[in-house]
Amino acid sequence: MHDTNATKTMPRAQCDDGAMWTLEKARALHDAPFNNLLFLAQTVHRQNFDPNKVQISRLLSIKTGGCPEDCGYCSQSAHHETGLKASKLMEVDRVIAEATKARDAGATRYCMGAAWRNPKTRDMDAVVAMVEGVKALGMETCMTLGMLDLEQAAQLKQAGLDYYNHNIDTSERYYSEIISTRTFADRLDTLEHVRQAGIKVCSGGIVGMGEQPVDRIDMLVTLANLPEHPQSVPINMLIPIAGTPLADARPIEPIEFVRVIALARIMMPKSHVRLSAGRTAMTDEMQALCFFAGANSIFVGDTLLTADNPGEDKNTLLFRRLGIEPMELDTQ
Ligand code: SAM
Ligand code: DTB
Ligand code: SF4
């Protein structure tokens, strides 16, 4: 007789006693038979969310290129020859105009990104005005500006910022292979400042950077063991950028990618797990598996920050084929 209750044959999601995740426990889930892993992930997903609703976010690069950091994956680092033209911080009015278009096209969250190590004091007035302006449109606001100190985080909170994106990107072990201009601990410090300021945390990472499976698992263990689970967990599949050190990184296999999504869903049951960068390189079938595994947020729009993203038509068709509907703002 087969045991049809997959949950009996594999470790359960986080114990109700709130115990910390260990690498061993997470690894056992990650390595479980694929059907068992997906069954558990979908079960956890249904306990916490409508399985046919996906949250829609939209990105805008408010300051592109020329970044002093040397992140090995990034088109915007001044350390790499990617041919990207650097630009100054965008005018506030233009940001509001772009956000209005995104709202009218159905996005409920607007995420503004800057290629900075950290915002300078002189930048804060403009950034605060952008948050206030986008918030006034009735959208959720998100920013990703690099490292923040506690005072800057408090200023953004005061302006009405809902989310701050700051990815840990990979495991602590692998971090220095990818970035040398800051440390994993720097990332955690900013996440703590954001949390203390009362802003919701958006933090995830990138897979397909030549890391081992254990690095992906360890990254999720770090996120799931933060004082609170990040409310939003973006899982990016590396978009290889010519001229960066990771231009020729070995791509992650689709099934391995889906395992990461499923594990994130199980380990952080109430978080929005975002199927983030890299969707242009995914089939509809792979994205469908990711949604089944518990992904429930995507970026829409032809461009992410600098790289391509599937356009409006492709999303509409995919959602129609899968019977997925955009998540309304008040149910998130
Ligand atoms: N400069 C800020 C920072 O590093 O936090 C904000 C912008 S940065 C571009 C935001 C995130 O985008 C990175 O942490 C990384 O996870 C993701 N990202 C950047 N380049 C990528 C690429 N080529 N493929 C996939 N994800 C990428
Ligand atoms: C996140 O985790 N992914 C987004 C957002 N947060 C800021 C950025 C993806 C960037 C992809 C590469 C590019 O557009 O340059
Ligand atoms: Fe700069 Fe962010 Fe790109 Fe790193 S990921 S180089 S910090 S823009």
Side-chain angles (χ1 to χ4, degrees):
M1 279 279 284
H2 289 291
D3 178 4
T4 50
N5 183 353
T7 55
K8 275 189 194 159
T9 63
M10 62 193 302
R12 297 190 62 81
Q14 178 160 20
C15 326
D16 296 334
D17 64 6
M20 300 283 273
W21 279 94
T22 62
L23 190 59
E24 290 65 37
K25 202 162 132 191
R27 198 204 303 248
L29 274 169
H30 177 272
D31 294 346
F34 190 67
N35 285 337
N36 292 5
L37 175 62
L38 255 66
F39 180 78
L40 181 57
Q42 174 68 196
T43 304
V44 170
H45 192 42
R46 279 170 186 264
Q47 284 162 358
N48 294 285
F49 291 100
D50 179 336
N52 301 309
K53 292 266 166 82
V54 168
Q55 190 274 332
I56 307 289
S57 293
R58 177 89 193 218
L59 266 173
L60 177 70
S61 180
I62 57 170
K63 196 273 165 213
T64 305
C67 185
E69 303 279 58
D70 70 351
C71 311
Y73 45 78
C74 189
S75 63
Q76 306 198 66
S77 167
H79 297 255
H80 320 315
E81 294 285 333
T82 63
L84 186 78
K85 197 169 163 289
S87 65
K88 290 204 179 117
L89 183 61
M90 213 180 249
E91 296 291 328
V92 176
D93 288 352
R94 202 172 140 215
V95 174
I96 314 293
E98 292 296 328
T100 307
K101 281 194 249 165
R103 181 197 61 183
D104 295 346
T108 56
R109 190 178 306 166
Y110 205 60
C111 179
M112 296 158 267
W116 287 328
R117 175 176 165 83
N118 53 266
K120 308 273 181 309
T121 306
R122 63 169 187 266
D123 303 317
M124 288 307 288
D125 284 351
V127 161
V128 160
M130 289 174 194
V131 174
E132 289 170 347
V134 174
K135 188 85 185 149
L137 296 174
M139 298 174 91
E140 287 185 314
T141 52
C142 176
M143 285 207 148
T144 179
L145 314 171
M147 297 186 223
L148 289 186
D149 60 30
L150 201 46
E151 200 186 323
Q152 290 170 322
Q155 260 180 289
L156 291 171
K157 170 71 185 174
Q158 175 74 25
L161 188 69
D162 297 299
Y163 288 83
Y164 195 77
N165 166 251
H166 201 66
N167 293 339
I168 62 168
D169 281 321
T170 189
S171 66
E172 184 169 12
R173 181 197 75 84
Y174 199 56
Y175 201 79
S176 58
E177 304 272 328
I178 302 295
I179 300 150
S180 77
T181 49
R182 58 168 189 262
T183 64
F184 194 74
D186 289 332
R187 282 318 247 193
L188 297 180
D189 284 350
T190 291
L191 290 178
E192 183 54 19
H193 297 153
V194 170
R195 192 182 73 85
Q196 280 182 21
I199 299 170
K200 289 180 222 166
V201 168
C202 171
S203 188
I206 313 181
V207 297
M209 299 195 292
E211 74 282 346
Q212 298 296 314
V214 68
D215 295 306
R216 298 169 202 145
I217 302 166
D218 206 21
M219 173 179 93
L220 295 180
V221 168
T222 299
L223 293 171
N225 283 339
L226 288 172
E228 288 171 65
H229 290 168
Q231 282 79 6
S232 184
V233 180
I235 305 294
N236 298 278
M237 188 172 82
L238 178 74
I239 300 176
I241 310 277
T244 63
L246 292 174
D248 300 315
R250 188 167 47 85
I252 182 169
E253 286 178 16
I255 298 288
E256 292 303 301
F257 184 86
V258 177
R259 283 187 185 275
V260 178
I261 298 277
L263 192 57
R265 164 53 60 226
I266 295 164
M267 293 173 71
M268 292 168 277
K270 295 187 190 306
S271 304
H272 279 82
V273 175
R274 183 170 307 121
L275 180 54
S276 197
R279 288 198 301 119
T280 42
M282 296 178 196
T283 63
D284 279 4
E285 291 78 9
M286 178 174 171
Q287 293 184 62
L289 267 182
C290 290
F291 293 132
F292 187 76
N296 63 348
S297 173
I298 58 166
F299 283 121
V300 297
D302 296 346
T303 340
L304 293 163
L305 290 173
T306 69
D308 289 347
N309 196 44
E312 180 84 34
D313 298 356
K314 280 208 162 140
N315 278 327
T316 309
L317 187 60
L318 177 63
F319 275 27
R320 198 180 305 138
R321 288 177 80 196
L322 301 177
I324 287 176
E325 290 186 351
M327 199 179 280
E328 302 83 24
L329 198 53
D330 59 353
T331 61
Q332 288 160 32

